Amino acid sequence: MGRLRAKLSEWANTADQDARDLRTVYEAKDVVSIGEAADRELVRLRGTLRTVTLRPRGGVPALEAELFDGTGMLTIVWLGRRHIAGISPGRSLQVQGRIGVHDGVRTLYNPRYELIP
């Protein structure tokens, strides 16, 4: 009975399958996965925005988003912006820039970006 329950639980848990599907969708030439992207090097990433939040930093407006590609999560911050047309949760996005670590969180500031249909 334990094996059957474990197998049913595995089939019911779609998070792993969703992550595998995302990795397949976002594979492209010159694009690295978030999990493999090196810090402080110019990278091009693709993923889906999970959250988008207005979070002021040092008295300056900042639009903050979480990008997920199935291998990891990256925080993206656009300083001086309150809103960007097309940037919303669930949107697919390609970004380019250098990843830094701020307070232990991998962050990409003011990246070049392209909305993916």
Side-chain angles (χ1 to χ4, degrees):
M1 190 63 133
R3 284 188 201 165
L4 178 60
R5 180 173 287 170
K7 201 53 141 168
L8 286 173
S9 177
E10 181 181 319
W11 287 335
N13 183 358
T14 61
D16 291 339
Q17 182 61 41
D18 291 344
R20 282 192 296 275
D21 291 346
L22 281 175
R23 286 192 296 266
T24 303
V25 167
Y26 293 126
E27 286 179 2
K29 185 178 179 183
D30 299 331
V31 174
V32 296
S33 67
I34 293 172
E36 295 175 353
D39 293 344
R40 299 183 308 254
E41 290 187 22
L42 189 61
V43 294
R44 184 184 316 254
L45 310 164
R46 285 183 175 183
T48 301
L49 295 176
R50 285 189 160 176
T51 63
V52 178
T53 309
L54 179 61
R55 216 173 259 161
R57 291 178 177 240
V60 176
L63 191 63
E64 189 174 296
E66 290 182 353
L67 186 71
F68 179 73
D69 73 348
T71 66
M73 194 277 302
L74 179 71
T75 299
I76 300 173
V77 177
W78 287 276
L79 295 170
R81 303 297 297 264
R82 295 181 195 284
H83 175 74
I84 300 174
I87 301 295
S88 59
R91 184 65 193 237
S92 295
L93 192 69
Q94 177 173 294
V95 294
Q96 181 178 342
R98 294 181 193 276
I99 299 173
V101 179
H102 182 72
D103 292 333
V105 178
R106 297 180 76 209
T107 307
L108 186 61
Y109 287 95
N110 297 322
R112 291 182 180 206
Y113 69 94
E114 179 181 330
L115 302 174
I116 300 173

